[in-house]
Amino acid sequence: MSIQSIGIVGAGQMGNGIAHVCSLAGYDVVMTDISQESLDAAMALIGRNLDRQVSREKVSQADRDAALDRITTTLTLTDLGRCDLIIEAATERETVKQAIFEDLLPHLKPNTILTSNTSSISITRLASRTDRPEKFMGFHFMNPVPVMQLVELIRGIATDEPTFKACQEVVDRLGKTAATAEDFPAFIVNRILMPMINEAVYTLYEGVGNVKSIDESLKLGANHPMGPLELADFIGLDTCLAIMNVLHEGLADTKYRPCPLLTKYVEAGWLGRKTQRGFYDYRGETPVPTR
Ligand code: CAA
């Protein structure tokens, strides 16, 4: 099963990064979204991120131009029907993902592999609602996609070996490393990372530290590149809360209960960098802690 073309559903934070690395690795990419503005913004961002790699001499100007040429954008989901591999990177809501697969399925070639970049939803359950559970997998990138080395590959209960191998080959060609995770809530990275972030929010909630002292502690005391609250803002507080809820409900253990302060920030619409406010306020020159 040789993959030449990759269809990406969603041009947001993850989708544009996935398009970037796939086109740079030589795949033909078709990226779709429901809004033309999102597609235009994604192409502009990919251009800027590629420019950054050119200026740091990680990518040549010719490879940058060729990568951009290999990406086509479309508002028509069914244009992805000709692709060999689909990576769905739409909103982290199961009903949205299911509706996308339902619309797309009649247009796919029989051999097309269908994957989701979901960070926490059951792969087996998503796969069971398609016509090809054996050709369905979790293909989970980390943010920022062009920088982070890891991809989690998650087999559903029905995923067959050729599908797994084909996805592993794609990860290799992207120059990234795959970690294989079983299909249990939040897989590996988020199973470990999110409770740490949630605990940082509890530490803030209980007044043990403030935003600055908590982030500095983990940066300087544990050599993390970002503090947990800064990282939560980077990922999106709504995403963090959604993943904590999946852990809490899926594993039925109170140790995963989301911190009420995390819920409060999400209720306020303070979702982190994407809304310019979260644990930090990003509206000025430099981020200012909100607590
Ligand atoms: N595209 C291309 N290159 C990028 C980039 C992007 N979007 N963002 C950063 N870079 C590059 C920079 O050009 C720079 O390259 P060089 O090493 O060649 O100089 C390098 O990445 C480092 O960037 P900066 O110097 O600008 O900034 P930094 O040193 O502060 O690093 C960071 C930024 C890489 C984001 C770093 O802070 C970091 O690793 N943070 C933690 C990120 C993390 O944990 N991500 C996982 C989140 S969990 C997840 O994604 C799973 C989920 O489902 C929620």
Side-chain angles (χ1 to χ4, degrees):
M1 207 181 289
S2 164
I3 310 284
Q4 310 292 340
S5 55
I6 301 183
I8 296 164
V9 185
Q13 190 165 264
M14 299 306 287
N16 80 67
I18 299 169
H20 173 143
V21 296
C22 291
S23 63
L24 205 50
Y27 293 106
D28 289 323
V29 170
V30 187
M31 179 167 58
T32 186
D33 199 283
I34 46 172
S35 116
Q36 186 61 47
E37 289 95 75
S38 299
L39 287 171
D40 294 343
M43 288 308 293
L45 188 56
I46 294 170
R48 287 201 299 279
N49 283 333
L50 282 166
D51 286 341
R52 173 159 38 176
Q53 290 176 307
V54 172
S55 70
R56 311 230 177 177
E57 294 177 358
K58 298 234 156 129
V59 171
S60 72
Q61 186 69 37
D63 286 348
R64 172 219 182 261
D65 296 344
L68 279 176
D69 279 349
R70 275 191 290 269
I71 306 176
T72 317
T73 60
T74 176
L75 287 169
T76 311
L77 179 66
T78 52
D79 287 348
L80 270 58
R82 61 189 157 88
C83 296
D84 305 318
L85 166 70
I86 305 290
I87 304 177
E88 172 276 317
T91 308
E92 189 69 350
R93 285 219 309 275
E94 197 162 340
T95 46
V96 173
K97 292 184 189 296
Q98 270 166 10
I100 289 167
F101 294 142
E102 221 166 86
D103 288 350
L104 192 54
L105 282 170
H107 303 274
L108 294 182
K109 298 184 289 186
N111 271 340
T112 296
I113 294 176
L114 199 51
T115 69
S116 173
N117 180 57
T118 178
S119 49
S120 58
I121 299 171
S122 163
I123 298 303
T124 302
R125 197 166 60 233
L126 287 174
S128 72
R129 309 243 164 93
T130 72
D131 62 353
R132 59 193 73 206
E134 69 290 348
K135 293 198 183 331
F136 194 102
M137 284 209 33
F139 207 123
H140 183 217
F141 288 85
M142 308 296 135
N143 189 22
V145 179
V147 182
M148 304 301 281
Q149 279 306 302
L150 188 81
V151 176
E152 278 181 302
L153 288 182
I154 306 111
R155 285 188 182 94
I157 207 161
T159 310
D160 67 19
E161 203 46 30
T163 300
F164 180 81
K165 283 211 173 108
C167 289
Q168 170 78 64
E169 276 167 26
V170 173
V171 176
D172 292 344
R173 187 160 153 195
L174 297 180
K176 296 195 184 286
T177 302
T180 314
E182 293 302 319
D183 183 24
F184 289 100
F187 319 130
I188 296 175
V189 171
N190 284 326
R191 169 83 178 255
I192 299 169
L193 184 64
M194 286 304 157
M196 184 199 72
I197 287 177
N198 194 46
E199 199 59 32
V201 186
Y202 269 112
T203 310
L204 179 67
Y205 176 62
E206 291 169 7
V208 181
N210 58 30
V211 169
K212 184 167 181 278
S213 64
I214 292 167
D215 274 352
E216 266 183 7
S217 295
L218 270 290
K219 276 201 283 196
L220 305 180
N223 264 6
H224 289 197
M226 285 178 169
L229 300 173
E230 187 189 358
L231 181 58
D233 276 357
F234 181 68
I235 293 168
L237 303 193
D238 51 342
T239 303
C240 294
L241 180 61
I243 297 172
M244 282 314 297
N245 280 326
V246 166
L247 282 168
H248 194 213
E249 285 155 24
L251 298 168
D253 190 329
T254 53
K255 77 176 175 180
Y256 298 113
R257 67 201 191 287
C259 179
L261 185 61
L262 180 60
T263 307
K264 196 59 65 193
Y265 270 80
V266 173
E267 281 171 355
W270 292 16
L271 307 182
R273 284 202 197 175
K274 62 184 165 190
T275 57
Q276 302 242 294
R277 245 189 307 187
F279 292 112
Y280 293 85
D281 187 333
Y282 299 91
R283 290 171 301 170
E285 285 272 292
T286 48
V288 179
T290 52
R291 271 171 183 257

